[in-house]
Amino acid sequence: MPDTARDPRAWIAPLITTIVTLPMALIALFVGGLTPMACDSCNGAAADRFDASFGPAWTVLLVGLLLTLMALLASWATPWQLRNVARRVGLALAAPTTLVVTFVAFMALVDWP
């Protein structure tokens, strides 16, 4: 079979990564959105440190979610030919990996009280 032939299983990797990544992304966004409540009872220096760290951490989370979405969409948009199997699977694996790395970075950047 030539490399330019259509891959009949091309939809599997993007579908699996979509089913895994989208709920994880919603949970990460939900947890990130609730994070400011962790310092509701803080005051003074602790509140200032938390507020100063949350802004950049939130930016990292949003950019990471955007990169995750781009990898997810790219895994679907990659041409469904046999020669693109590795590229499609790589992009499908990159989406949840990017999300996990982003969420860990977000949690590490926040100066918790």
Side-chain angles (χ1 to χ4, degrees):
M1 200 178 302
D3 282 353
T4 57
R6 190 171 197 285
D7 183 7
R9 297 178 307 242
W11 57 273
I12 294 172
L15 179 65
I16 291 171
T17 196
T18 300
I19 290 170
V20 169
T21 304
L22 288 182
M24 286 174 43
L26 289 174
I27 290 169
L29 187 61
F30 182 72
V31 170
L34 289 180
T35 299
M37 293 174 60
C39 199
D40 276 349
S41 63
C42 298
N43 56 20
D48 292 340
R49 284 193 314 274
F50 179 82
D51 289 340
S53 68
F54 179 75
W58 181 250
T59 302
V60 166
L61 181 64
L62 293 181
V63 169
L65 288 173
L66 181 63
L67 291 173
T68 299
L69 180 64
M70 289 170 54
L72 185 64
L73 292 176
S75 72
W76 280 104
T78 302
W80 290 20
Q81 298 171 342
L82 287 174
R83 67 180 178 193
N84 295 320
V85 170
R87 187 173 300 128
R88 190 181 317 77
V89 170
L91 287 166
L93 291 173
T97 304
T98 303
L99 179 61
V100 169
V101 168
T102 298
F103 188 70
V104 169
F106 169 77
M107 297 299 274
L109 286 172
V110 173
D111 187 9
W112 298 95

